[in-house]
Amino acid sequence: MSESKVPLLLDSMMVGQILDALEVRRDAWEKTSAWFHGKLGDPTFLIEECDDAEEADGIAAYYREIEGEIRAQLERYRSQDSGG
């Protein structure tokens, strides 16, 4: 099943805020994975709710994929906008 695409036109500041938020969520899932592996160095961090490190890794990877797609589209837009 193919996912439908949703075109969005946002101010560049908004895109930056979205990327920042995605980074925070990705970081939380990476730390959750580290917790499952016994490697979390932050005793104050509250892990995300999931079954195991594999699930946390998968969710973190999905956040990385979203970030990458937004950054790639932003770069393509900037290249087109600058005439390059």
Side-chain angles (χ1 to χ4, degrees), residues 1-6 62:
M1 182 169 85
S2 175
E3 293 288 326
S4 61
K5 302 284 183 176
V6 178
Y62 189 55

Side-chain angles (χ1 to χ4, degrees), residues 6 10 18 21-22 27 29 42 44 46 49 51-52 55 71:
V6 178
L10 301 170
I18 291 168
L22 288 168
D27 186 54
W29 285 104
D42 181 356
T44 64
L46 297 175
E49 186 175 330
D51 292 329
D52 54 27
E55 183 180 3
R71 290 182 194 286

Side-chain angles (χ1 to χ4, degrees), residues 23-38:
E23 183 179 337
V24 168
R25 298 302 304 139
R26 176 186 36 82
D27 186 54
W29 285 104
E30 288 173 346
K31 285 182 177 180
T32 297
S33 175
W35 180 84
F36 276 106
H37 289 292

Side-chain angles (χ1 to χ4, degrees), residues 22 26 58-72:
L22 288 168
R26 176 186 36 82
I59 295 170
Y62 189 55
Y63 276 102
R64 276 191 297 280
E65 181 182 348
I66 296 167
E67 285 179 84
E69 184 61 32
I70 291 173
R71 290 182 194 286

Side-chain angles (χ1 to χ4, degrees), residues 2 8 10 12 70 75 77:
S2 175
L8 299 173
L10 301 170
S12 62
I70 291 173
E75 189 59 37
Y77 172 78

